[in-house]
Amino acid sequence: MDFTPTEEQAAARDLAARIFGDLATPERLTAAGTGSDPELWKALCAAGLVGAVEELGLLGLVLLLEEQGRATAQVPFASTCVYGLLAVAAHGSPEQRERLLPGIGDGSVVVCGALPAQGGVRARGSEQASARGELTGTVPVVPWLRDATHVLVADDQRELWLTPVTDAVCVEAVELTAPWSAGRLTLDGASAERLGVVGAHRGAEVEQPLFHPQPLHRPSSYSQPPTPSPYTDVLATARTAFAGLQAGVGAGSLARAVAHVNTREQFGRPLATRQAVQLRAADAHMDIEAIRVTAYEAAWRRDAGLPYATHALTAAWWASEAGQRVVHTGQHLHGGAGADLDHPVHRHFLWGRQLDAYLGGGGEVLQELGELIVTEEEGTEEEGTEKERREVGEG
């Protein structure tokens, strides 16, 4: 494994850091309220950062989202790249990629995701080999829905559908812990186009569309793994990407805390000289590194074309469990100032807690990870038994 960014990934990360640093200031974030910043979104798209993600891969996106998290920038960057650009590039038909990717890249198409599947949406036409269908149902909370032109929806059969926000799509504003322009999604016969092939989640033997990105760093010793279903891949991609966002949120919170304790004095000495403060900061730093390295590994494996579902869940668990510890530490080290709702560090606290909830919570993610590991082990044992039977029969 080699997580060293390529020259292109490093350049994109540095550009993103400059844009977020210049435009996602505390004053602008306060002025944006609970909505997004359209000027910042235009700047990111004009710089080509959204469109570049298709070539930068998931690891490149994680690097960019770290910079967004440091600034807690209020733009639908993660959702559009995960549920729009990477999902369409990986599982869309050639016609869908040609039609949708240019708009996603220039920012005119903003995509959010109603994932994971909650069983609240049904699709007419989901069992037929049809490219189009109609969606009916409700999703209580969808982040960035109020900014979106399209929504990627998982139905009760875990098929993926992309639907435009039209008259058949009702959007009601929902305020979350973090200012994510969220909404309640109600679908009443909304026209949608399928993303991916019919029955892919059920393991049907059907030809998968082109899976992007092409392996960039695949070691020669690895064989070609089975292609994941569109739903499985998009969900794992989202978990990895939002874990990267959480790494940035935590790093930004800790950076503010370190700056505070180095300048704030108590009894004639900076707070940073106190051993208890140093230990809390060191623990937070190690938590951030754990989130970062697990997110990098999951992203690297996807870019290399390797199985990464368990790695994505591992990154999500660290982001959920360690992420909330880090933002609590950042607020605690600010003392009384950390309790000020208008202080910039409080924004990191809100984002950290919201990401914890969005990723599912540590206990729920850990349970899913354990079940997936058991399932994979049982599958490996069955394959081994079948291989032994064939060898005995041939002998």
Side-chain angles (χ1 to χ4, degrees):
M1 293 180 289
D2 183 6
F3 305 149
T4 304
T6 64
E7 184 177 339
E8 293 77 12
Q9 289 170 338
R13 177 194 60 197
D14 295 343
L15 176 59
R18 290 197 297 271
I19 294 175
F20 286 128
D22 291 341
L23 296 181
T25 61
E27 295 76 18
R28 288 180 59 87
L29 293 173
T30 300
T34 60
S36 60
D37 186 338
E39 183 178 340
L40 175 56
W41 179 243
K42 290 179 182 178
L44 292 170
C45 295
L49 288 175
V50 177
V53 169
E54 185 179 3
E55 297 298 328
L56 296 175
L58 183 54
L59 180 56
L61 175 59
V62 167
L63 294 171
L64 299 181
L65 291 178
E66 277 194 75
E67 300 306 324
Q68 179 186 0
R70 291 178 197 274
T72 60
Q74 294 171 203
V75 286
F77 191 31
S79 67
T80 294
C81 289
V82 170
Y83 301 121
L85 191 140
L86 290 180
V88 173
H91 305 291
S93 67
E95 186 276 332
Q96 286 174 322
R97 292 196 293 272
E98 182 179 359
R99 171 168 48 89
L100 294 170
L101 290 180
I104 296 174
D106 65 25
S108 59
V109 175
V110 177
V111 186
C112 64
L115 274 78
Q118 301 175 2
V121 176
R122 295 183 179 274
R124 281 186 287 181
S126 62
E127 295 300 327
Q128 293 78 31
S130 172
R132 303 201 67 85
E134 293 184 352
L135 303 180
T136 300
T138 300
V139 182
V141 178
V142 179
W144 307 112
L145 178 59
R146 284 181 275 164
D147 293 335
T149 61
H150 292 71
V151 187
L152 185 66
V153 181
D155 66 14
D156 57 347
Q157 299 298 315
R158 295 192 173 185
E159 301 280 4
L160 294 182
W161 301 85
L162 191 64
T163 180
V165 178
T166 62
D167 293 339
V169 178
C170 179
V171 176
E172 302 173 64
V174 174
E175 299 301 337
L176 301 180
T177 302
W180 283 5
S181 295
R184 175 185 174 90
L185 176 67
T186 302
L187 303 163
D188 185 12
S191 176
E193 56 183 310
R194 189 191 304 274
L195 200 65
V197 295
V198 182
H201 66 286
R202 294 187 287 271
E205 295 184 2
V206 290
E207 183 180 356
Q208 291 278 13
L210 181 64
F211 183 74
H212 287 286
Q214 294 294 330
L216 301 176
H217 314 289
R218 179 196 294 279
S220 59
S221 59
Y222 286 100
S223 60
Q224 176 66 39
T227 301
S229 72
Y231 174 82
T232 300
D233 176 60
V234 172
L235 184 57
T237 298
R239 284 167 167 160
T240 304
F242 281 96
L245 184 62
Q246 182 75 302
V249 170
S253 175
L254 183 59
R256 291 187 180 278
V258 169
H260 175 79
V261 298
N262 273 288
T263 56
R264 180 74 171 179
E265 292 189 357
Q266 186 181 60
F267 304 113
R269 295 171 57 191
L271 288 174
T273 62
R274 309 293 176 180
Q275 187 178 45
V277 171
Q278 295 172 1
L279 291 176
R280 285 294 299 273
D283 286 343
H285 172 74
M286 294 306 298
D287 275 337
I288 294 168
E289 289 302 302
I291 301 170
R292 179 180 288 123
V293 74
T294 52
Y296 284 5
E297 182 180 10
W300 177 86
R301 290 183 67 88
R302 182 186 188 272
D303 291 344
L306 301 172
Y308 73 109
T310 55
H311 301 79
L313 280 167
T314 302
W317 182 81
W318 275 105
S320 179
E321 285 287 299
Q324 55 91 14
R325 287 199 299 265
V326 170
V327 295
H328 273 276
T329 295
Q331 194 161 10
H332 188 195
L333 290 180
H334 276 78
D340 185 353
L341 300 183
D342 296 325
H343 195 287
V345 77
H346 186 67
R347 189 177 298 275
H348 291 271
F349 177 79
L350 296 179
W351 275 66
R353 293 312 304 260
Q354 185 62 59
L355 282 164
D356 171 28
Y358 185 64
L359 290 166
E364 183 177 336
V365 173
L366 192 61
Q367 179 179 348
E368 186 177 348
L369 175 59
E371 292 172 351
L372 181 57
I373 291 174
V374 169
T375 301
E376 290 183 347
E377 290 180 348
E378 290 176 347
T380 302
E381 291 176 359
E382 291 176 1
E383 290 177 2
T385 302
E386 182 62 28
K387 182 179 180 181
E388 290 177 2
R389 289 173 180 171
R390 288 197 303 270
E391 291 176 349
V392 170
E394 292 173 357

